[in-house]
Amino acid sequence: MAKINRIRTFAMALIFIGIFIMYIAIFVFRENPILMSIAMIIGFLSVMSSALVYLWIGMQSMKTIQVTCPSCEKDTKILGRVDACMHCNEPLTVDKSLEGKELDPRYNRKSFQPK
Ligand SMILES: [Zn+2]
């Protein structure tokens, strides 16, 4: 899956988990104000961190390179040295030396050199 899509899914999950925890806090821990406050705080933090992840995605998106996927011929974005097409999951790279090689997330580290 393309990295940006994956991070977006993660941020989305965080929002739902946060709302779910707050829901439990209100309806399950009603009788216990301490448990309720703790659960509310955890739920709130989860929603807040999701907002931060969204902000971070926004900043990361500016660093992406717009390319046309050779496989499905749609426009997609590459984040880092290797990424997958947002439409067909075709592994894509902007690094000529990595062309034709298996998609490996380690290529995004500067120190990692493929053999
Ligand atoms: Zn594609």
Side-chain angles (χ1 to χ4, degrees):
M1 205 198 276
K3 261 173 259 172
I4 289 189
N5 286 358
R6 209 159 25 184
I7 301 166
R8 249 183 220 142
T9 310
F10 172 71
M12 195 70 128
L14 266 182
I15 288 187
F16 282 117
I17 290 167
I19 290 170
F20 182 67
I21 293 172
M22 285 195 273
Y23 178 88
I24 288 176
I26 293 165
F27 292 101
V28 180
F29 296 146
R30 217 179 354 207
E31 314 285 307
N32 193 328
I34 296 164
L35 264 180
M36 185 172 143
S37 331
I38 292 170
M40 281 302 277
I41 289 166
I42 294 170
F44 180 71
L45 283 179
S46 164
V47 172
M48 281 311 287
S49 48
S50 155
L52 284 176
V53 171
Y54 268 113
L55 204 78
W56 183 74
I57 298 170
M59 292 193 297
Q60 292 295 306
S61 312
M62 286 176 213
K63 287 196 273 178
T64 55
I65 303 156
Q66 186 102 31
V67 293
T68 305
C69 174
S71 172
C72 63
E73 288 173 352
K74 284 180 191 147
D75 286 334
T76 184
K77 286 169 186 163
I78 291 183
L79 179 58
R81 283 167 79 195
V82 283
D83 205 349
C85 172
M86 287 198 288
H87 309 284
C88 65
N89 282 337
E90 168 87 11
L92 300 169
T93 178
V94 286
D95 195 329
K96 284 266 178 275
S97 67
L98 297 176
E99 228 160 60
K101 290 202 171 79
E102 198 76 12
L103 180 69
D104 190 325
R106 285 180 299 174
Y107 291 150
N108 287 308
R109 282 187 227 146
K110 283 210 169 66
S111 58
F112 183 78
Q113 286 302 318
K115 281 174 200 110

